[in-house]
Structures are given as C-alpha cells and as structure tokens.
Amino acid sequence: DVIEADGLVALPGFVDLHTHLREPGREDTETIETGSAAAALGGYTAVFAMANTDPVADNTVVVEHVWRRGREVALVDVHPIGAVTVGLKGERLAEMGAMARSLAGVRIFSDDGMCVADPLIMRRALEYSRGLDVLIAQHAEEPRLTVGAQAHEGEAAARLGLAGWPAAAEESIVARDCLLAGHVGARLHVCHVSTAGTADVLRWAKARGTQVSAEVTPHHLLLDDDRLETYDPVNKVNPPLRTSSDTKALRAALAEGVIDCVATDHAPHAPQDKDCEWSAARPGMLGLQTALSVVIETMVRPGLLDWRGVARVMSERPAEIAGLPDQGRPIAVGEPANLVLVDPEAVWTVNGAQLASLAGNTPYEGMRLPGVIKGTLLRGKVTARDGRVAS
Ligand code: DOR
Ligand code: ZN
Ligand code: ZN
C-alpha cells in the first residue's frame, strides 16, 4: 500500500484542544464516530471532546464512555474534557480527581458552554488543578455582560438591532483569571480568543510570568462581522465574529506566539437549530475539516507562518499544552508516525453536505480554499486517504 507523496508537505498529526462531539445527548448532530471521521479527514490525530454534552461530562461515567467509544472507533485519539462544575449552571466543583484518575485520564477541565462566572469557584478549580496536574480551560465569557447578546457589540450589530456582546465581556474575565492563576501558581488555558484586547491581556500576563496558554479558532482568524449583513445564522457563534481589526490582531498574535495554537471549536448543529431566525439559532460552526485550509489562507499565504509554524500551532503547542507525549512530533526514530500529508497547491470547494460531520453548518459553504489533505496516519495506521476514512 503506497501513498504517493511527491510534492506533498508532511506535518505532525494535528491536535485539537476544543471539539464538540455531541455524544452523549445530541447524536442527531454528531457522534464520536462521525466527529472522529471529520477529524481524521481534517488531518487530526488527537481531539479533546468538550464537556457540554447531555448529560454533562462532569463524572467518570460520561468521560469513560467518551474515551471508550473513541478507542473503539480508532480514527483519532479522543480525550474527554471534564466539566469544572457539576451541571450546566453548576455552583459546585465537579470531582476532578475522580475523572483525572479514571480510565479516561482526564487532563483538561473546562467551563465551555457552561461559564464559571464566580471567581471563588474559579480560584478553587485552579488551586485543585495544581495538585492533580491538570489544566483549567476557560470559555472566556463574563456571562453577566452577555445577557441576551446576539452578536459583537459594534456598528454592524447596532445597525441590525441585535443586542451586543462587548469585547470587555471577554477581556475582563481573561484578565481576572490570569491574575487568579498567577496568584495561586496554576496554569490557565484561554479558549477561543476573539478580540485584539484579549491578545493584549495575554501579552501582558505572559510578560509577567503567568502560566497561561491560549487558542484561536480558524473562523475568528478569517471571518468578521461584515458577515452579519445577511442575517444568516450559520455565522452565529460564541464568542461572536468580531471586526476586521480584531482578525488582523489575532493573526499577528498567533504569529508572535502570544496566542499559542489553533483550536476549532467544531460545533455541529441540527438544521432546525440553524435554519431559523437569528435570535433563535444556536451558536457554533463546523471546523475540523476546514481548519488547515483556513490557516493556510490566513497565515501561510500572507507570510505570517511558514510550514514549521503551522506544525507549531496545529500540533506541537497543543500537544505540549495538553501534555500528550506521543503527539505533536514528527516521526521519532523507531516509533510509528502520527502524520498528515498535505498538497499545499491544490484548492477545493467547501460543500457542507459532503463533510463527514452529521451536521452541515459550515460558514465556508461554496468557498474555494487552499490545501488538500491527502493522508492522515495515527500511530502508523492510515486513518484517512484522498478524502475517505480508512475502513
Ligand atoms: O459557539 C459556540 N458553540 N460556543 C460555545 O461556547 C458552545 C458551542 C456549542 O456547544 O455549540
Ligand atoms: Zn466557548
Ligand atoms: Zn466550544
């Protein structure tokens, strides 16, 4: 079995710190099997499955189910993320220790889709995380500043009469938790940075020695609130699409290393939750199969990252942040490869109906994007090849 690699770029398999797989609870929109297929086709060899499932992944039963199912499907390493608190609006810390020590070996805990607003709960989680050697990932939203928010607070939202999500709702809580993490000597990971001001906060926190890492989504690198013009709910996402000066600042911060990595925030939704009024639509967009192409478009083509840099932001840094020793490296001598082969010159047209996800909510529908993934290998085994998953 030969893969023709003439003219292709080889990169270490990608690691996604932020994927919504919807199992258990919304298997009509994505399952661990369909999400794993999308991941393998997107060049990923490891994904972290976000905790806002139904039931919430705040206990060992749910995280072990996700872990076991990922192993059975065997297209990508699926690492469950645990919820920081119990339930969607939890006031009480989840049993992080039990999940960390379980079969699933949970190493990241997050409030994504759940929002820990209470600084005392966040402080306790950070303190607890130190002893367990796990990472707290924060959704970067002060929910008391986003009540009713439908879009980035700015000109475009005002023109359309949509309640605004201010940049300060993100920046204030990121600053707060950087200070708390520094104070207790814990690590903090910031999810989906979306504003220029958050990049400034991170630059400041890193300069003063805080152990903070951060991710940016492909959609916040490419898309801005010009997209509000059409009212198409496919563009509704949390945090919202910001301004073109934000996308510019995010690209610069990723090139500089102030933002460490790219994470998809892959968020599949059912047609009825997107083909409706803007205010009724659920936030989120697909990302696994388009991430690399958007990174090439926004970072490689303008000369902000070379291929070495792509390997860093898509694979090495996320593997380091999550503490995955067997990911994030090109082939080590004598070890089976976690590898992706990319045709950097080829261009493809995005078609949501053809993506492996059960859902079709891609904001890139009909766009021609650069970079085609020709093959993905997980520990030496081909998981995807020429747009098909291995059977
Ligand atoms: O856009 C989003 N979608 N943001 C979140 O925080 C949650 C996610 C989801 O679960 O759909
Ligand atoms: Zn989020
Ligand atoms: Zn998310």
Side-chain angles (χ1 to χ4, degrees), residues 12 15 31 72 114 141 150 161 238 250 296 324 335 357-358:
V15 176
T31 65
E72 281 165 16
M114 293 160 273
E141 173 189 357
Q150 293 287 336
N238 289 351
L250 295 172
I296 295 173
L324 297 181
E335 281 180 29
S357 283
L358 279 181

Side-chain angles (χ1 to χ4, degrees), residues 365-390:
E365 184 70 35
M367 281 178 73
R368 285 170 58 75
L369 292 175
V372 169
I373 288 158
K374 304 299 283 184
T376 308
L377 279 79
L378 173 64
R379 282 182 286 282
K381 182 181 162 291
V382 176
T383 52
R385 184 172 175 177
D386 291 323
R388 292 222 168 84
V389 289

Side-chain angles (χ1 to χ4, degrees), residues 8-85:
L8 303 188
V9 173
L11 297 166
F14 305 145
V15 176
D16 191 9
L17 294 180
H18 193 150
T19 313
H20 295 270
L21 291 180
R22 307 298 189 213
E23 181 179 339
R26 284 306 298 266
E27 290 88 348
D28 59 317
T29 62
E30 196 80 294
T31 65
I32 290 164
E33 185 167 11
T34 59
S36 293
L41 290 165
Y44 288 89
T45 48
V47 299
F48 283 77
M50 195 44 83
N52 63 335
T53 48
D54 183 13
V56 175
D58 58 13
N59 61 78
T60 57
V61 174
V62 176
V63 295
E64 286 188 353
H65 166 79
V66 172
W67 183 84
R68 199 174 286 117
R69 190 67 198 122
R71 275 300 182 96
E72 281 165 16
V73 174
L75 288 171
V76 61
D77 288 348
V78 177
H79 297 280
I81 293 178
V84 173
T85 52

Side-chain angles (χ1 to χ4, degrees), residues 18 112 139 192 238 265:
H18 193 150
D112 189 79
H139 162 77
H192 43 51
N238 289 351
D265 201 7

Side-chain angles (χ1 to χ4, degrees), residues 96-381:
M96 290 160 54
M99 289 186 269
R101 284 188 301 267
S102 75
L103 199 61
V106 176
R107 50 184 75 237
I108 301 180
F109 291 87
S110 179
D111 68 338
D112 189 79
M114 293 160 273
C115 290
V116 173
D118 184 339
L120 188 56
I121 290 188
M122 185 49 96
R123 180 190 173 151
R124 290 209 183 112
L126 288 164
E127 279 170 347
Y128 200 19
S129 74
R130 258 181 346 202
L132 290 171
D133 195 24
V134 296
L135 182 63
I136 302 294
Q138 179 234 63
H139 162 77
E141 173 189 357
E142 167 50 82
R144 289 161 296 198
L145 290 173
T146 59
V147 176
Q150 293 287 336
H152 171 62
E153 183 176 291
E155 277 170 43
R159 192 167 5 93
L160 298 173
L162 298 172
W165 178 307
E170 175 172 314
E171 293 152 7
S172 59
I173 203 162
V174 172
R176 182 198 82 176
D177 287 353
C178 283
L179 289 166
L180 282 176
H183 181 64
V184 308
R187 295 193 297 147
L188 174 74
H189 180 73
V190 179
C191 294
H192 43 51
V193 174
S194 72
T195 76
T198 303
D200 290 339
V201 170
L202 291 166
R203 192 178 291 107
W204 163 82
K206 287 185 172 194
R208 72 201 296 271
T210 309
Q211 298 178 76
V212 59
S213 55
E215 65 188 39
V216 61
T217 69
H219 47 273
H220 289 110
L221 291 173
L222 182 64
L223 308 175
D224 60 45
D225 65 351
D226 279 354
R227 285 251 171 165
L228 289 183
E229 212 70 62
T230 62
Y231 267 118
D232 184 345
V234 79
N235 298 306
K236 184 173 175 179
V237 64
N238 289 351
L241 300 180
R242 303 289 189 177
T243 68
S244 58
S245 59
D246 290 303
T247 60
K248 200 168 161 236
L250 295 172
R251 294 177 193 191
L254 181 62
E256 185 189 345
V258 162
I259 294 175
D260 298 79
C261 63
V262 172
T264 65
D265 201 7
H266 179 83
H269 285 299
Q272 66 269 23
D273 293 324
K274 281 296 195 182
D275 299 339
C276 57
E277 274 184 44
W278 180 281
S279 57
R282 292 196 189 218
M285 35 184 70
L286 300 183
L288 285 168
Q289 284 179 256
T290 45
L292 174 70
S293 292
V294 174
V295 168
I296 295 173
E297 177 75 17
T298 56
M299 301 296 295
V300 179
R301 287 200 161 170
L304 290 165
L305 281 184
D306 56 14
W307 289 106
R308 179 100 268 309
V310 173
R312 178 166 56 83
V313 302
M314 297 290 286
S315 179
E316 289 170 13
R317 279 301 288 145
E320 274 171 22
I321 289 164
L324 297 181
D326 62 336
Q327 296 274 353
R329 303 182 277 129
I331 328 158
V333 175
E335 281 180 29
N338 289 320
L339 197 67
V340 54
L341 295 166
V342 181
D343 184 342
E345 303 303 330
V347 170
W348 62 295
T349 303
V350 181
N351 175 348
Q354 277 175 12
L355 298 174
S357 283
L358 279 181
N361 55 304
T362 174
Y364 313 110
E365 184 70 35
M367 281 178 73
R368 285 170 58 75
L369 292 175
V372 169
I373 288 158
K374 304 299 283 184
T376 308
L377 279 79
L378 173 64
R379 282 182 286 282
K381 182 181 162 291

